[in-house]
Amino acid sequence: MSQMTGTTGGAPPTAGTPLEREARSSRTLKKHRRITPYLFLIAPLALLITFTFVPAANLIWYSFTDWDGIDLEKEFVGLENYIEIFTEPEVFRVFFVSLYYIGASFLQMGIALYFATILSFNTRFRNFFKGVLFFPYLINGVAIGLVFLYLYQPDGTLDSLLKAVGLESATTAWLGDPDAVNVSLAATSVWRYTGLNFVLFLGAIQSIPNQLYEAADLDGASKWQQFRFIIAPGIKRIISLSFILAISGSLAVFEIPFIMTGGANGSSTFVIQTIQSAFQFRQVGFASAMAVVLLLIVLIVTFIQRKLVPDDEVNLT
């Protein structure tokens, strides 16, 4: 029997000495440890490639075609869609609309930083005011659009308030006047998103050690000096993050103007124009080019921000 199985003295041929078995076991364990992380990465990488990189590659390819979204044939048109974006006045004008929201986002960051600084100190009813400031961000965008439609309608709430304080001459068609519609919509965005910036700033300020404030108080530093030399440097990363979010969010505004005006009266934004081009006018190739331009703008802004405000090196040792 031992001759048929090729064993010597009853021991298996691959068993070896205990030292050899331990060495083989160690090598197998190290091999498994090297492979295991890659096995865990297979599923997320497959999902990332399938639902992010492949659609992005298709988007770039469509941007060089005249595809209408239905036809199986896609004719290559080169840079024609990109040239049309920057030469067609009706399309290029949406970039100027974004300037209203960029300006409003900086105002929004200023308001949020002001209240975050004030409420980070011992202030009466500060928890109540924190809730008041953050509450608009929790409301559904459609509901906010409907509420502000009543606020801005002719002889609506805003006009009534202005007339009550003797400013009847300031009333106008807030959503019908091309000179006022973007200001009205940008103000609505400020009201809604100030709470988000407020929470980000407040969390960053509260992460600053209290010892720094106590030392500043002992040295006789004023609240402004504490903000300038402790708070502002301490939350620099959050400010730079908010800057990127403000620029990208201003270029990608959709919900509020689409609900309140549908892009009418000169309030069409870049995203509204893109969606209308793709699904209303069947210009999927052109809309894809607009989406690529928006992506490039966000990447350029992010690159510039990272160069101007680089992250500090973190030493964990």
Side-chain angles (χ1 to χ4, degrees):
M1 183 69 179
S2 61
Q3 291 178 348
M4 293 178 63
T5 55
T7 59
T8 302
T14 58
T17 65
L19 188 60
E20 291 174 343
R21 290 198 298 271
E22 184 178 354
R24 281 197 298 271
S25 176
S26 178
R27 287 196 296 270
T28 304
L29 183 60
K30 289 181 179 178
K31 183 179 178 181
H32 289 171
R33 285 179 176 176
R34 287 197 300 269
I35 295 175
T36 301
Y38 297 102
L39 295 177
F40 279 106
L41 286 174
I42 289 176
L45 282 177
L47 294 173
L48 182 67
I49 293 172
T50 303
F51 295 106
T52 301
F53 292 118
V54 172
N58 283 334
L59 181 75
I60 295 173
W61 159 240
Y62 296 154
S63 69
F64 293 103
T65 68
D66 64 347
W67 191 38
D68 61 1
I70 298 176
D71 198 340
L72 296 178
E73 299 294 331
K74 306 176 185 64
E75 184 179 350
F76 181 76
V77 296
L79 297 175
E80 183 177 318
N81 290 327
Y82 292 95
I83 294 173
E84 185 177 354
I85 290 173
F86 293 101
T87 56
E88 186 68 31
E90 286 298 320
V91 178
F92 194 70
R93 195 179 60 79
V94 297
F95 287 105
F96 293 102
V97 175
S98 298
L99 295 179
Y100 286 95
Y101 294 94
I102 291 176
S105 64
F106 290 144
L107 174 63
Q108 167 187 312
M109 289 174 58
I111 296 173
L113 183 58
Y114 172 78
F115 283 108
T117 304
I118 295 295
L119 297 179
S120 64
F121 296 105
N122 289 326
T123 308
R124 296 183 65 182
F125 307 115
R126 62 176 180 173
N127 289 330
F128 169 75
F129 289 115
K130 289 177 186 176
V132 170
L133 285 168
F134 188 64
F135 179 70
Y137 184 69
L138 300 177
I139 303 177
N140 182 272
V142 177
I144 291 177
L146 295 175
V147 168
F148 276 84
L149 274 178
Y150 285 106
L151 179 74
Y152 289 136
Q153 69 178 352
D155 295 327
T157 307
L158 182 58
D159 285 351
S160 300
L161 288 174
L162 291 174
K163 291 176 182 177
V165 297
L167 296 175
E168 186 173 355
S169 59
T171 59
T172 183
W174 300 103
L175 299 179
D177 186 353
D179 295 329
V181 62
N182 289 310
V183 176
S184 304
L185 295 174
T188 306
S189 295
V190 170
W191 184 83
R192 185 185 184 195
Y193 291 107
T194 296
L196 176 62
N197 288 118
F198 167 75
V199 170
L200 292 175
F201 290 144
L202 184 65
I205 292 173
Q206 291 182 340
S207 67
I208 298 174
N210 287 328
Q211 292 85 347
L212 295 178
Y213 297 113
E214 294 171 0
D217 289 332
L218 291 175
D219 291 337
S222 63
K223 294 300 182 186
W224 164 248
Q225 289 172 326
Q226 290 183 23
F227 173 80
R228 181 180 177 186
F229 297 108
I230 297 177
I231 295 177
I235 63 172
K236 186 174 67 174
R237 287 185 178 181
I238 297 300
I239 293 176
S240 63
L241 172 65
S242 299
F243 178 79
I244 296 174
L245 294 177
I247 298 296
S248 60
S250 300
L251 293 170
V253 169
F254 169 71
E255 198 173 36
I256 296 296
F258 186 77
I259 293 170
M260 296 180 66
T261 65
N265 303 320
S267 64
S268 181
T269 63
F270 198 84
V271 176
I272 291 177
Q273 186 75 32
T274 302
I275 292 175
Q276 288 178 340
S277 299
F279 301 106
Q280 185 174 346
F281 303 117
R282 295 292 181 187
Q283 296 175 320
V284 175
F286 179 72
S288 300
M290 294 186 70
V292 172
V293 169
L294 178 61
L295 175 63
L296 292 176
I297 292 174
V298 174
L299 291 177
I300 291 172
V301 171
T302 305
F303 176 77
I304 294 174
Q305 182 275 331
R306 300 289 292 182
K307 287 296 181 183
L308 294 178
V309 189
D311 286 341
D312 297 330
E313 293 185 3
V314 177
N315 187 3
L316 299 178
T317 60

